[in-house]
Amino acid sequence: MSASTPTHPQDLRPDRKKTKLGYNVLGLVIAVVMAFPVYWLIISALRPNHEIRSYDQTLWPSSITFDNFARAVKQPNFATAIQSSLIISITAVVGGMIIATLAALAVGRFRFTGRRALLMVLILVQMLPPTAMLIPIYAQLNAMGGLNEYWGVIVVYLVSTLPFATVMIRGFVVNIPVELEESAMVDGCTRMGAFRRIIFPLLAPGLAASSIFALVNAWNEYLFAYILMNDDSKYTLNVWLMTFTTERGTDYGALMAASTMIALPVVVFFMFIQKKMATGLTSGAVKG
Amino acid sequence: MLPYLLILPAIVALAAVYAYPLVKTVIMSFQDMGRRELWTGESPPWVGFDQFTNILGDAEFWHVTLRTVVFMAVCVVATMAIGLLVSLLMMRLSTWVRLTLTTALIAAWSMPLLVASSIFRWLADSDYGLVNTIIAKFAGDDWLGHNWFLDPLQGFAVIAALVIWGAIPFVVITLYAALTQVPGELTEAAQLDGASAFGVFRFVTWPVIKPVFIMVTTLSVIWDFNVFGQIWLLRGNKPEPDYETLGLYSFSKAFTSTSFSQGTAIALVTVLMLSGVAVYYLRQLMKTGEVE
């Protein structure tokens, strides 16, 4: 009963063809609705300012300009915001990956008391509302002099990558046959050597996916960054984005241009890992 | 010994950033920590259950709770209904349409929360927003300059649109992955036996995707209950009291009224409300063998 057989009676029924066309049209309409805000972001970033400040918004720009980008780049603290975002995200992700890989090896390779409990804790902590942690962390960092310091935010981001990274990397660890590792050790490798020569290369794609994921999360976070860092020279890009809204209103052209620049690396990374994201998310591994 | 050494760094880190704050939340909820205690480092006075009796006796708290629950329910039902329908539709599309739709979903999914919120704020802007321009074309110029956030019901409609739009890609892609696991022979056999389209869904498709559907629904309940950023950002970083959900209510008690203990007590009550859902989720995970 394969659909590819041309003589299949159902394929010849015209109403069936019509339904298929109907489905396809509906599918395209949904695609347009879902993509529209993204289109609007890019088009608003590129259109002249007089069209943005107009009561008659048009779906298509009359001309393309980079003025909005020029204004966005001139917004104070752009360069320092890039720097802060990079320092914070990269440090947090590298640290988080090391700790998560160690933990993932433990839960993926060994049976030990408390293993299940650890997995449950990893899943449960992701369900805590952010304010439940924000207030005590703010008070604690304040007492330790960690407000307005990179390390405070880095520690928070690092730990918030641990739950999903551990569960995700564990998924890759359990797929590497133990025999590979054992035969390497029989051949004279130490446990460390077996890890370095056998496990690590096989784990690399999983590590890459998890770190991109963690990087995107850290790059996108704004609440902790906003509350824990008040010094405007240490704003991250997302917090910097908020400076486009002032008492006098919002410069939407520049805001859309700046947003485009911030979203662009995320979109590119996302394309690489989207398949793994869906699986990672359903295993309860990722915070929304 | 080795596994414990391997998990030690993770345990220490989790203890520092999750466990300790949670314990601290409990402690602070039984104290009265305000601005003075925060800056002087004096230990705040113990007040027993006062914070909780204050909160639970405050009509505003119950308003906020009701608002949070209703908002969550609307968002979850809409997200799951639309998500399920779109994923079923995906099964019936030509390949190129399916790829187009998947690309659109991923583009929407990859928008950072702050960027997505900025776009929706811009679309719903009272003076220069596209939404008003379009409605005015059909319903008259009265709509130009219409402020969507004057009436919280309309404002929440915009916020819900943002939340649902942001959640649909994950739901659709996950459910579609589950749908592709439904054995084609079963569907065909059911059709041959004369089952209607609904019958096939009810008795063949649904049993297969049910565990995934329940898991995604549970996650959505938790996420939408904790919605914070979308409201906060659409209301220009200072939401009016009418826009407060439990997370924002707790936040504003802590940081705007600088009653940190009130804030933590509200957060603690929220955690307790959600713990039932979380335990249910965990049991589902164990049933499907994710945690073994």
Side-chain angles (χ1 to χ4, degrees):
Chain A
M1 287 284 282
S2 95
S4 61
T5 320
T7 51
H8 194 289
Q10 282 188 329
D11 285 338
L12 301 174
R13 288 225 308 264
D15 60 321
R16 210 178 156 86
K17 259 192 175 161
K18 244 189 212 157
T19 344
K20 182 94 176 174
L21 181 72
Y23 285 144
N24 279 341
V25 171
L26 188 60
L28 288 176
V29 170
I30 296 169
V32 168
V33 172
M34 288 310 289
F36 185 78
V38 183
Y39 165 78
W40 198 245
L41 162 75
I42 297 165
I43 222 68
S44 303
L46 288 171
R47 70 178 9 163
N49 207 25
H50 68 86
E51 280 188 31
I52 284 175
R53 307 189 70 81
S54 152
Y55 286 104
D56 192 26
Q57 292 289 320
T58 52
L59 289 176
W60 192 248
S62 61
S63 63
I64 296 283
T65 164
F66 287 94
D67 286 357
N68 295 322
F69 286 92
R71 280 209 313 291
V73 172
K74 270 194 230 120
Q75 180 86 354
N77 298 316
F78 175 55
T80 55
I82 296 182
Q83 196 192 337
S84 303
S85 274
L86 286 176
I87 293 177
I88 292 173
S89 331
I90 294 176
T91 320
V93 170
V94 171
M97 283 306 131
I98 295 173
I99 299 179
T101 309
L102 296 177
L105 284 170
V107 288
R109 271 289 182 263
F110 300 94
R111 305 250 142 203
F112 57 93
T113 325
R115 179 176 156 282
R116 245 168 86 125
L118 177 64
L119 279 171
M120 286 187 200
V121 166
L122 287 173
I123 290 161
L124 281 180
V125 292
Q126 297 179 80
M127 300 186 171
L128 289 174
T131 41
M133 279 129 53
L134 184 59
I135 303 168
I137 287 178
Y138 177 82
Q140 185 60 36
L141 281 178
N142 178 61
M144 292 165 69
L147 290 181
N148 268 325
E149 299 287 347
Y150 285 144
W151 65 263
V153 183
I154 289 175
V155 168
V156 173
Y157 285 11
L158 187 156
V159 181
S160 63
T161 65
L162 285 182
F164 76 80
T166 308
V167 177
M168 207 163 159
I169 299 172
R170 163 186 166 262
F172 289 93
V173 170
V174 292
N175 283 330
I176 301 172
V178 190
E179 292 77 24
L180 274 182
E181 204 178 339
E182 283 169 354
S183 61
M185 281 161 73
V186 168
D187 290 347
C189 264
T190 58
R191 197 175 260 281
M192 196 56 214
F195 174 76
R196 197 165 53 81
R197 285 165 213 247
I198 310 290
I199 308 285
F200 187 74
L202 290 170
L203 213 51
L207 283 176
S210 317
S211 19
I212 290 176
F213 203 117
L215 202 60
V216 167
N217 276 353
W219 185 259
N220 288 349
E221 208 286 332
Y222 66 93
L223 182 63
F224 279 84
Y226 177 76
I227 298 299
L228 301 181
M229 306 259 249
N230 295 313
D231 184 348
D232 50 11
S233 69
K234 286 186 177 166
Y235 280 169
T236 59
L237 279 168
N238 273 299
V239 181
W240 172 75
L241 217 50
M242 294 182 193
T243 63
F244 287 87
T245 302
T246 62
E247 299 291 317
R248 286 174 294 126
T250 305
D251 180 353
Y252 277 111
L255 175 61
M256 292 297 123
S259 299
T260 308
M261 291 189 286
I262 292 172
L264 197 66
V266 182
V267 175
V268 173
F269 276 147
F270 229 87
M271 294 290 167
F272 285 122
I273 53 158
Q274 51 100 355
K275 280 234 171 65
K276 298 209 169 63
M277 290 203 45
T279 42
L281 279 158
T282 33
S283 59
V286 176
K287 211 194 238 186
Chain B
M1 209 36 217
L2 183 60
Y4 293 104
L5 280 178
L6 291 175
I7 61 170
L8 187 65
I11 298 283
V12 171
L14 289 168
V17 176
Y18 287 106
Y20 172 77
L22 206 57
V23 172
K24 185 97 179 166
T25 297
V26 178
I27 294 173
M28 279 169 77
S29 304
F30 290 96
Q31 294 174 327
D32 188 15
M33 181 165 184
R35 192 199 295 270
R36 202 171 64 90
E37 287 80 9
L38 184 75
W39 293 115
T40 57
E42 275 172 45
S43 61
W46 291 92
V47 294
F49 282 92
D50 280 7
Q51 304 289 6
F52 294 99
T53 46
N54 280 346
I55 294 164
L56 300 178
D58 186 355
E60 201 192 347
F61 170 78
W62 295 105
H63 282 150
V64 176
T65 306
L66 183 68
R67 187 183 298 138
T68 312
V69 171
V70 171
F71 177 73
M72 178 272 287
V74 170
C75 289
V76 170
V77 169
T79 308
M80 294 313 296
I82 300 173
L84 181 61
L85 289 174
V86 175
S87 62
L88 285 168
L89 178 71
M90 289 256 280
M91 298 294 287
R92 288 161 181 77
L93 295 176
S94 306
T95 312
W96 70 275
V97 181
R98 189 165 57 235
L99 285 179
T100 313
L101 181 53
T102 311
T103 312
L105 289 171
I106 291 169
W109 193 2
S110 61
M111 285 298 112
L113 181 65
L114 208 130
V115 171
S117 305
S118 304
I119 303 170
F120 272 69
R121 193 148 66 90
W122 168 221
L123 283 167
D125 188 71
S126 59
D127 289 332
Y128 311 119
L130 177 71
V131 175
N132 284 350
T133 306
I134 290 178
I135 296 180
K137 286 232 159 61
F138 296 103
D141 284 351
D142 287 358
W143 281 85
L144 292 177
H146 175 75
N147 185 340
W148 284 87
F149 293 98
L150 230 43
D151 174 2
L153 211 58
Q154 289 182 15
F156 268 112
V158 177
I159 296 163
L162 168 60
V163 170
I164 295 165
W165 173 81
I168 281 178
F170 160 61
V171 174
V172 171
I173 290 174
T174 314
L175 287 181
Y176 176 71
L179 281 171
T180 56
Q181 303 300 309
V182 178
E185 308 84 59
L186 275 185
T187 321
E188 271 174 32
Q191 275 166 346
L192 282 179
D193 289 347
S196 63
F198 180 76
V200 173
F201 175 76
R202 172 72 185 79
F203 295 107
V204 179
T205 315
W206 177 247
V208 178
I209 64 166
K210 194 179 157 199
V212 176
F213 188 87
I214 290 180
M215 214 116 80
V216 176
T217 310
T218 324
L219 278 179
S220 300
V221 167
I222 291 166
W223 288 338
D224 291 351
F225 200 87
N226 287 334
V227 159
F228 187 100
Q230 291 93 331
I231 303 176
W232 202 52
L233 295 163
L234 277 178
R235 297 313 305 126
N237 306 348
K238 26 184 165 333
E240 300 82 350
D242 278 347
Y243 282 97
E244 279 172 358
T245 54
L246 279 171
L248 286 156
Y249 186 53
S250 150
F251 180 88
S252 77
K253 280 275 190 257
F255 290 96
T256 313
S257 327
T258 58
S259 171
F260 294 95
S261 287
Q262 284 267 302
T264 53
I266 296 165
L268 196 60
V269 174
T270 314
V271 172
L272 291 177
M273 285 180 189
L274 278 175
S275 57
V277 188
V279 168
Y280 177 76
Y281 175 73
L282 211 57
R283 288 186 53 162
Q284 288 294 323
L285 275 183
M286 282 159 73
K287 239 193 254 171
T288 53
E290 295 280 356
V291 180
E292 81 295 341

